[in-house]
């Protein structure tokens, strides 16, 4: 895949964050394997004090979980995306337990949105949860904004009471295209302005 796609990434501290001396809460990670290119952008919740930590860890967890899954499974199957979600929640849960974190620390650290791209020789997927943007072949799409600037966060699944029914915090597939038709892909947080 490396000979077909080049990955470039960057992040800047937003004006509102600079004004109040708040950390940049955007994070990204990418990985190119023999048969896949993976890129992920995570954006921490601005009202939580340490969400940039969760965003950084979430981006890394996602690319590595995807790399492991792509080596073992076919992404075309819905089970693949459920397994990715299970891997991410398991990794978050393990880190939370190792840190001795309670539910308050969970929301302080682990609230981040997720926008990702998986490119295989056959298919390109855009997936995520929460707000953000993506473009395929310069066709721009915005996910969100959400009511009260409160997007869904994957970490809420760790707090979800199963007695309430099906957990609503599921990864979404926003786009799926034959890779031979893909010339360019952009993924970004809700701070991207076009």
């Amino acid at each position: 895949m490396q000979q077909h796609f080049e990955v470039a990434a960057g992040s800047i501290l937003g004006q509102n964050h600079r004004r109040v001396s708040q950390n940049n809460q955007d994070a990204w990670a990418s990985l190119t394997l023999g048969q896949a290119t993976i890129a992920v952008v995570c954006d921490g919740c601005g009202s939580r004090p340490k969400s940039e930590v969760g965003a950084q860890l979430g981006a890394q967890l996602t690319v590595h979980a995807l790399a492991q899954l792509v080596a073992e499974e076919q992404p075309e199957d819905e089970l693949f995306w459920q397994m990715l979600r299970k891997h991410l929640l398991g990794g978050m849960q393990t880190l939370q337990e190792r840190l001795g974190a309670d539910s308050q620390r969970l929301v302080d650290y682990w609230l981040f949105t997720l926008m990702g791209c998986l490119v295989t020789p056959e298919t390109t997927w855009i997936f995520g949860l929460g707000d953000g943007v993506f473009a395929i072949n310069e066709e721009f799409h915005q996910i969100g904004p959400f009511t009260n600037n409160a997007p869904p966060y994957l970490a809420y699944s760790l707090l979800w009471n199963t007695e309430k029914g099906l957990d609503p915090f599921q990864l979404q597939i926003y786009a799926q295209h034959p890779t031979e038709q893909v010339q360019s892909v952009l993924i970004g947080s809700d701070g991207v302005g076009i």
Side-chain angles (χ1 to χ4, degrees), residues 15 35 39 54 78 90 132 144 159 175:
Q15 185 177 23
Q35 292 299 307
E78 183 180 323
L159 302 172

Side-chain angles (χ1 to χ4, degrees), residues 45-56:
C45 174
S47 64
R48 304 314 309 176
K50 304 204 173 35
S51 65
E52 71 273 9
V53 176
Q56 291 286 344

Side-chain angles (χ1 to χ4, degrees), residues 59-171:
Q60 293 298 323
L61 279 170
T62 305
V63 296
H64 291 289
L66 262 174
Q68 180 182 351
L69 285 172
V70 166
E72 301 168 358
E73 303 290 336
Q74 294 300 315
E76 287 83 8
D77 188 341
E78 183 180 323
L79 181 61
F80 176 90
W81 300 100
Q82 293 172 3
M83 290 172 58
L84 172 60
R85 181 179 177 278
K86 183 177 178 180
H87 274 61
L88 295 177
L89 289 171
M92 293 164 66
Q93 184 77 46
T94 297
L95 286 168
Q96 181 185 352
E97 289 168 1
R98 286 185 182 167
L99 295 172
D102 56 16
S103 60
Q104 180 58 48
R105 284 232 172 119
L106 175 77
V107 297
D108 283 348
Y109 285 88
W110 287 110
L111 297 187
F112 59 85
T113 61
L114 171 66
M115 185 66 63
C117 176
L118 170 61
V119 182
T120 68
E122 296 79 26
T123 309
T124 296
W125 288 269
I126 304 294
F127 65 93
L129 182 63
D131 51 16
V133 299
F134 72 91
I136 295 182
N137 299 339
E138 300 183 20
E139 184 179 317
F140 183 78
H141 302 270
Q142 182 171 347
I143 309 300
F146 291 87
T147 305
N148 298 322
N149 194 25
Y153 297 110
L154 186 60
Y156 287 161
S157 292
L158 297 175
L159 302 172
W160 187 255
N161 180 348
T162 55
E163 293 175 9
K164 293 181 182 179
L166 182 66
D167 180 348
F169 307 105
Q170 305 291 321
L171 292 176

